[in-house]
Amino acid sequence: MKNSRVLIVTNDVDAGAELEQALLHARDHFFRVERCNTLLAALERLKQGDVDVVLLDLFLPDSSGLATYEVVAKLVPSAPIMTLSTSENEDLAISSVQQGAQAYLLRQNFARSLVPQSVISSLLRKRLEEALFIEKQRSQIALSEIVDGVISADALGNVNFLNATAERMTGWSSEEARGRRFSDVFHIVDRVTGEVTPNPIATVLQEDKPVAVRPQSNLVGRDGVGIPIEDTVTPIHDKYGRIAGAVMVFHDVTVTQAMMKKISHQANHDYLTDLPNRLLLNDRISHSIKIATRRNTQLALLFLDLDNFKLINDSMGHAIGDKLLQSVAKKLVDCVRSSDTVSRQGGDEFVILLAEDKHAEDAAITAEKILIALAAPHYVAGHKLHVTTSIGISVFPVDGDDADTLIKNADTAMYLAKKMGRNNYQFYKSEMNTRAVERQFIEAHLRSALEREEFVLYYQPIVDLKSGAILAAEALIRWAHPDRGLMLPDQFISIAEESGLIVPIGQWVLRHACRQVKAWIDAGLPSISISVNVSALEFRSTGFYENVCAMLHEFQLKPELLELELTETALLRDTDASAQLLRALKLIGIHLAIDDFGTGYSSLSYLKQFSIDSLKIDQSFVQDVGGIDNEGIIVNAVIGMGRSLQQRVVAEGVELQGQLAFLNKHDCEAGQGYYFSPPLAADQFTKLLQTGISQTLLN
């Protein structure tokens, strides 16, 4: 700025000289001066560049008037132009300034010392204008690029700017909106009531402090479409601190609200079935309790646990299990009213809130409906699956006055339904708490029983009914509890199955049974086989076959000395997988038996497919032998079936001589029961092997 090149364009030699002299004698600034006397010459020089300011006479030999200025300004728009004029033509000089010239100099002032200062001022002003223009452009570009909408108004509340986002959201262009009242351009209504909300710009201009638009606000564009927005409005002040307007920054929260709604839904619903989860269920129960209390009505909770779901899930895979749960969830929703809530608690447990029930019997009707619906086949990924459910019911207010208590008591009632044979429902009764506490006690202690070596095996002989010879020993587990003494299987096995502990317990039984029969052989006692019960979960568990083979190898036991007892239900859950596993076991020489035959889902065509060695008639049929109304038809039929299929038939639960006589009469091969011997500890059974069964029992 201390060194500037000036081009003087005039045909007046004296005027040009005066200007040059005035500039060359300027203080604190060095001017390099050049002169041209025609427009053409000036244009040629300006094309070369590096001219900082032009002093232009409007009247030249080859041009006159405003046209002279227009030609030069078009060529060098960035250079400040000062026009030269006489007093007579001052109006024309003023017009040039209005057209864009920085200033004008009158002829009578050319020789004055103010000329350099005027030129310097023009240079400064031009550069400031350019800087301001660039900054303005930068701001407008930035405002146009940001995703938020920006709208500003002056101190009177009239719109003076909208960026591109604001134009799109309001439907107004910046040019159309400029000068209009803010409320005409920016129309905000309450999203819920539809009422017009107060003008935020007017509030800011009046209170001179930032404000935020009310929550639940919608911006209604010119097309009448409402867009949910969030925004802030801030006052604008001049350099003296006086309010000069206000600016609003706002953005569309449609996506944000959808995301928040999705997050809220996910937090309150089960990911697999999309049913309400525990959190939402508890909230709805609490709300329903308030209503029921006010109306003096009842409500009921149904706690459901699917029967044998773990077996399907473990044998067919979690993908099939998940689809089955989705099928169950859909059927449950179809069984209740829209005012009720079906919730998944996790795993295969569901809780249903029946709101607005007037009588407990209403819950029973719904439970019956659910039992029927779930018993129908579920078609999942090409599979036809069957599943039932056990239901516990609690009723407000008699069974509890809060969500946790009602759920706990319905859960307790569900376990009674399991114990009563499954696929049924039971209402909660206060005495069930005793059973619930007992179950919790047993489950807690079961987890440490294996580590503490609290289990023991007892053995009951399987006897040849003709000769009385001991053919095999069935290994029966007992729990030697440190406080309760010897506990029988019916006190803890079902709980072990439900908790998944049955698999490691079954492995323990197999190991100790194999070890014991090997000890008898090593002691020189009569060679008998050992019969071990295998639960459905253990049969389906990963590595079951490998574990059996490992036990035989560890104790150097011949496979034909091991018999595995399985129930019909366990085998028929997945017949293809069962047949494949049984063939593998049979191939190495292991004997196979169906336990409790006749009590499961019998399908006689599978007996040959499964290559079964023995059928064990359930004791409930054997104990009916000799009764007035039952002459042992079922027992006789099973004996005949076993003979036809070349399978050994073992009658369980033989307790009376009359039962033995019936079995012998119908040529039953083997029997087991208290008539011959109760289950014995290992040392007692060893003595029995030494002495044999008393012949007096067989006569």
Side-chain angles (χ1 to χ4, degrees), residues 29-84:
H29 200 99
F30 177 70
F31 288 102
R32 289 178 291 174
V33 181
E34 297 181 29
R35 284 197 282 172
C36 294
N37 57 8
T38 65
L39 177 62
L40 181 61
L43 295 177
E44 290 298 323
R45 174 62 187 87
L46 290 171
K47 289 178 182 179
Q48 298 174 17
D50 75 354
V51 173
D52 296 310
V53 64
V54 179
L55 304 184
L56 179 63
D57 192 339
L58 294 178
F59 293 92
L60 298 170
D62 52 352
S63 180
S64 62
L66 287 177
T68 304
Y69 166 77
E70 292 172 354
V71 172
V72 175
K74 185 176 181 180
L75 181 63
V76 285
S78 61
I81 301 173
M82 300 179 68
T83 55
L84 308 176

Side-chain angles (χ1 to χ4, degrees), residues 13-23 35 107-112:
V13 177
D14 294 337
E18 290 178 1
L19 288 171
E20 184 173 350
Q21 287 299 314
L23 294 171
R35 284 197 282 172
R107 176 69 180 80
Q108 57 266 34
N109 298 324
F110 286 2
R112 294 184 179 181

Side-chain angles (χ1 to χ4, degrees), residues 34 59 73-75 101 157-158 204 206 237 265 301 360 388 395 406 443 469-470 521 525 581 634 641-642:
E34 297 181 29
F59 293 92
K74 185 176 181 180
L75 181 63
N158 298 321
V204 169
Q206 181 179 358
H237 299 96
H265 183 86
L301 283 188
T388 57
V395 178
L406 289 169
E443 182 175 349
I470 298 176
I521 294 172
L525 294 171
L581 180 54
I634 294 178
M641 184 189 310

Side-chain angles (χ1 to χ4, degrees), residues 159-197:
V159 175
N160 54 24
F161 174 77
L162 286 83
N163 73 345
T165 302
E167 289 180 328
R168 175 177 54 79
M169 293 177 67
T170 62
W172 290 84
S173 70
S174 190
E175 289 300 320
E176 289 178 301
R178 186 172 290 113
R180 292 180 177 270
R181 298 293 299 172
F182 178 85
S183 56
D184 294 338
V185 175
F186 208 84
H187 189 56
I188 310 175
V189 300
D190 185 279
R191 193 178 312 144
V192 178
T193 65
E195 296 179 357
V196 177
T197 60

Side-chain angles (χ1 to χ4, degrees), residues 66 119 151 163 183 196 279-280 282 290 335 348 389 391 393 416 458 463 465 507 528 535 561 608 641 648 654 682 690:
L66 287 177
V119 174
I151 181 171
N163 73 345
S183 56
V196 177
L279 184 66
L280 182 55
N282 284 0
K290 292 178 182 178
C335 287
D348 60 341
T389 186
I391 305 174
I393 305 173
L416 177 61
Y458 274 52
V463 180
L465 297 183
Q507 292 171 349
I528 64 170
S535 72
L561 294 181
K608 195 67 177 176
M641 184 189 310
R648 182 170 69 183
V654 180
Q690 294 169 340

